[in-house]
Amino acid sequence: MTNINKIGLTWISFFSYAFTGGLVVVTGIIMGNIADYFHLSVSKMSNIFTFLNAGILIAILLNSWLIETISLKKQLIFGFFLTVIAIVGIVYSHSVFIFSINMFILGLVSGITMSIGTFLITYLYSGSKRGSKLLLTDSFFSMSGMIFPIVSAYFLEKKIIWYWTYISIGGIYLLILILSIIFHFPKLKNNTHQHEKVKENWNLNIILLSISALLYILGQLGFISWVPQYATEIINIDIKKTGNLVSSFWMSYMIGMWFFSFIIKFFSLHRIFIFLTGISSILMYFFIHIQNYIFLQCIIVSLGFFSSAIYTIIITLASLQTKNPSPKLINLILLFGTIGTLLTFIVTSPIVEKKGLYTTLFSANIFYGVVFLLSILIYINTKYRKNFI
């Protein structure tokens, strides 16, 4: 494989995360406007977005089978046409049912695309480069998280209807289509069968890391999805400043990934994992107990920075548990992370409805705290295995 082709495939991975990030992150910003559009309450509208998350989950479940039956290039090209169909459906439909189907389709496309992007990075890179590239790939998720809340807030401020946000996100997939046509993909069928022949010894840490991925994503999205409503209703901040809070989180998240993609090479992954989950839990606690906008801005920037590398470290640690990590092992962590995404509104919407926004954010803080405890347990278990195995 030529170096130019390798770079091209890497950029497809980058954009795959940017596409998924755009779809997931803008939900909290435009959810109120979509609820008004369909004449639903915000809590009921949030349940509709479960279709997006369900699509992502099912796509990752299907990915192991799809890789063996349909080429990566064909999957991405077909994904573009599904994206166009879904966005057109969102624009021209006035039915909640049709909107739900289209969100499900976008979830399927983004899940398959993100799964392909992750697999390409683990296929193309090894060792410390893999962890570094995974961090850079994930940073494009947060880059979308930085850009699209600003774009959405601008549209809303200028009275431009909310579905233009999804049209602009669709532009990312156009870039994926162009790169998919230009560059050549590796043939993965034989490679996949070779991985199946190699016996993998999955240990307790893989289970603990999977649970950590689920709780981390559930905590992160449960927090950031309701920050806009919390800021406007509890702290009385206007929509533009609310958009800036969410955008600041993802901007610092992106910068943190770039920073840790370099730092990660010089420190123990386990110790960084413990440090980042611990400090992130503390910062989130302070955020939900302060009502000064300037302090909130500082805290959410710090939270984005220090929590940025957690998910990628979980994936990297899982891939290092066996000598020959298979696509199924990587997909397992992605699957649990996606279950966390799926559960975001299933878990948080009833809390919002019955207990309020403060309790919802505090529950997200608890999830972060549990991940911190799991990081310590994973470190202890790793030490134990090294001493006795």
Side-chain angles (χ1 to χ4, degrees):
M1 182 181 294
T2 64
N3 194 45
I4 294 175
N5 200 72
K6 189 175 182 179
I7 291 170
L9 295 180
T10 302
W11 274 98
I12 288 173
S13 299
F14 291 165
F15 287 133
S16 71
Y17 269 67
F19 179 73
T20 305
L23 291 173
V24 172
V25 171
V26 297
T27 300
I29 299 293
I30 61 177
M31 184 160 50
N33 296 80
I34 300 175
D36 292 338
Y37 185 83
F38 289 111
H39 308 292
L40 294 173
S41 67
V42 173
S43 60
K44 286 183 179 178
M45 193 66 230
S46 66
N47 289 325
I48 302 299
F49 285 97
T50 302
F51 286 92
L52 172 69
N53 300 333
I56 296 172
L57 175 64
I58 291 171
I60 290 175
L61 282 170
L62 290 173
N63 181 257
S64 296
W65 171 74
L66 286 173
I67 278 179
E68 296 181 15
T69 54
I70 305 172
S71 71
L72 300 183
K73 180 176 289 221
K74 286 180 181 177
Q75 286 185 54
L76 293 173
I77 292 172
F78 186 61
F80 173 77
F81 291 107
L82 284 178
T83 300
V84 172
I85 291 168
I87 292 175
V88 170
I90 289 171
V91 171
Y92 289 102
S93 171
H94 296 278
S95 164
V96 176
F97 177 72
I98 300 299
F99 177 80
S100 303
I101 292 174
N102 289 318
M103 292 308 293
F104 179 75
I105 293 171
L106 286 177
L108 279 175
V109 173
S110 64
I112 290 171
T113 307
M114 187 175 68
S115 189
I116 289 172
T118 307
F119 185 75
L120 281 174
I121 294 296
T122 57
Y123 180 89
L124 295 171
Y125 301 95
S126 59
S128 61
K129 281 189 176 180
R130 180 186 294 167
S132 179
K133 290 295 181 183
L134 281 171
L135 273 170
L136 286 174
T137 304
D138 208 3
S139 74
F140 276 76
F141 185 104
S142 51
M143 189 181 294
S144 282
M146 177 189 71
I147 294 170
F148 286 106
I150 295 174
V151 171
S152 301
Y154 174 81
F155 285 159
L156 298 179
E157 192 179 20
K158 297 296 181 182
K159 308 300 181 184
I160 298 171
I161 197 163
W162 54 267
Y163 56 62
W164 275 97
T165 300
Y166 289 108
I167 295 172
S168 60
I169 292 170
I172 297 175
Y173 213 102
L174 178 60
L175 295 173
I176 294 174
L177 174 70
I178 293 168
L179 291 173
S180 299
I181 293 171
I182 294 172
F183 294 102
H184 301 288
F185 288 79
K187 294 181 180 178
L188 301 177
K189 291 183 180 180
N190 293 334
N191 182 271
T192 304
H193 288 311
Q194 284 175 1
H195 276 299
E196 288 175 354
K197 291 177 183 178
V198 177
K199 187 178 180 181
E200 285 188 305
N201 295 315
W202 289 17
N203 53 53
L204 176 62
N205 275 355
I206 291 175
I207 297 171
L208 296 177
L209 287 164
S210 300
I211 297 170
S212 297
L214 188 156
L215 294 178
Y216 169 71
I217 295 296
L218 177 58
Q220 182 195 74
L221 295 182
F223 173 78
I224 206 66
S225 295
W226 291 106
V227 159
Q229 297 293 323
Y230 176 81
T232 52
E233 294 181 20
I234 306 298
I235 312 177
N236 298 316
I237 297 173
D238 62 58
I239 187 65
K240 190 173 182 180
K241 286 185 177 180
T242 299
N244 287 337
L245 275 178
V246 177
S247 180
S248 295
F249 174 84
W250 291 111
M251 179 185 69
S252 60
Y253 200 93
M254 178 183 66
I255 294 170
M257 284 182 166
W258 293 343
F259 175 79
F260 287 111
S261 67
F262 175 75
I263 292 295
I264 202 173
K265 301 172 186 176
F266 305 102
F267 294 93
S268 163
L269 280 176
H270 289 284
R271 289 176 181 174
I272 293 179
F273 187 30
I274 293 170
F275 171 73
L276 294 181
T277 52
I279 198 168
S280 296
S281 301
I282 294 169
L283 287 167
M284 189 179 286
Y285 177 83
F286 280 120
F287 183 91
I288 60 179
H289 289 89
I290 290 175
Q291 296 198 352
N292 180 281
Y293 177 73
I294 295 174
F295 284 127
L296 288 175
Q297 186 83 0
C298 293
I299 291 169
I300 206 165
V301 165
S302 301
L303 177 60
F305 181 83
F306 285 108
S307 64
S308 61
I310 293 174
Y311 189 55
T312 307
I313 286 174
I314 290 172
I315 295 174
T316 307
L317 284 173
S319 72
L320 295 173
Q321 297 302 309
T322 63
K323 290 182 179 179
N324 297 284
S326 69
K328 289 182 180 178
L329 175 57
I330 302 301
N331 268 359
L332 179 70
I333 303 299
L334 288 176
L335 174 64
F336 272 78
T338 308
I339 291 172
T341 305
L342 175 68
L343 293 175
T344 299
F345 293 114
I346 294 174
V347 171
T348 60
S349 292
I351 300 175
V352 170
E353 201 165 0
K354 294 178 182 178
K355 297 294 182 179
L357 291 163
Y358 169 81
T359 305
T360 306
L361 296 190
F362 190 71
S363 65
N365 196 191
I366 292 171
F367 294 139
Y368 264 46
V370 174
V371 176
F372 168 65
L373 295 176
L374 287 172
S375 70
I376 296 173
L377 189 58
I378 291 164
Y379 177 73
I380 293 171
N381 188 49
T382 301
K383 285 285 187 182
Y384 176 83
R385 289 179 66 233
K386 283 182 179 178
N387 291 333
F388 293 93
I389 297 177

